[in-house]
Amino acid sequence: MAFGSVLDVVLNGVDVTQDHAGWIGFYATMGGCVAALLLSRVADIFLRHMKTMLLVLFVLATAATLWFVLIRLSVIPFSMVSLYLSTILMGVFINASIPLFYELGCEASYPIAEGVTVGVLTMANNLTGVVFLSVMQIPRIGVGWMNWATLGSVAVAVPLLLLFTENYTRTDIDTQESIVPEPHKCAAASINANTKVD
């Protein structure tokens, strides 16, 4: 999340020190890592429900991001607790979705190799981050647009996920029982058949 790398710049207008911004970003990242590991396990248990999980995550991420933006704009009264909670929840919900997006991407693009799919998704993510950070080079652009860009990018994922059609062909192949007889069983069946003929 490129937004996290400029958190100290975004929070500069509400008198949050760089030290505080660093700790907020740290907790958001660590929370996202833990949530991603837990959610990956949940996704293994509840196969074929990745789209639903992603929808829930992004609705919650949109709410947390909106909370953060309203705090930043002073629509909601500022408090350090609210700032910490909203930012950490943003990190948790957005970062927890990353493994599921990669997995769903591999499912959707099957039989294209997983390495190709993951490479394209990673490249798209990095290019988006480069564009986001490069806009800051425009003179006198300020930082307010970052809040709205982050909120927009999170919110737009919800209708796009609703339009997305799930396809779990790869999972179906991985989980089905082997329908091709094993070689040693074929040999045994052949020997039995020959014995009965004799």
Side-chain angles (χ1 to χ4, degrees), residues 10-193:
V10 173
L11 295 176
N12 190 34
V14 288
D15 296 326
V16 174
T17 64
Q18 189 173 4
D19 186 55
H20 266 121
W23 280 111
I24 293 171
F26 170 78
Y27 292 132
T29 302
M30 293 308 296
C33 291
V34 171
L37 289 171
L38 292 174
L39 203 62
S40 296
R41 182 62 187 133
V42 171
D44 286 342
I45 295 169
F46 299 103
L47 288 173
R48 298 174 183 82
H49 291 90
M50 280 186 277
K51 178 180 171 179
T52 304
M53 286 185 238
L54 282 169
L55 275 169
V56 170
L57 282 173
F58 270 87
V59 167
L60 294 172
T62 302
T65 307
L66 181 61
W67 184 14
F68 175 85
V69 170
L70 293 177
I71 291 170
R72 180 61 185 82
L73 295 174
S74 301
V75 175
I76 295 175
F78 175 83
S79 79
M80 197 61 79
V81 173
S82 283
L83 184 65
Y84 265 82
L85 281 175
S86 63
T87 312
I88 290 169
L89 289 174
M90 280 172 60
V92 166
F93 297 136
I94 293 171
N95 290 328
S97 70
I98 293 171
L100 293 182
F101 264 123
Y102 278 102
E103 189 69 22
L104 196 60
C106 290
E107 290 284 357
S109 64
Y110 184 84
I112 295 171
E114 293 173 8
V116 174
T117 303
V118 169
V120 169
L121 289 174
T122 302
M123 187 169 54
N125 184 39
N126 290 337
L127 285 174
T128 305
V130 167
V131 170
F132 181 85
L133 296 174
S134 296
V135 172
M136 293 178 64
Q137 302 303 315
I138 299 171
R140 295 184 298 278
I141 194 167
V143 296
W145 65 272
M146 291 182 188
N147 300 317
W148 296 111
T150 304
L151 178 60
S153 65
V154 173
V156 78
V158 175
L160 290 176
L161 280 167
L162 287 170
L163 294 172
F164 179 77
T165 304
E166 288 176 290
N167 183 8
Y168 294 103
T169 307
R170 188 183 66 138
T171 298
D172 291 338
I173 290 170
D174 287 345
T175 56
Q176 73 181 356
E177 292 183 22
S178 176
I179 56 173
V180 178
E182 295 176 21
H184 68 276
K185 289 183 179 177
C186 289
S190 176
I191 291 169
N192 287 340

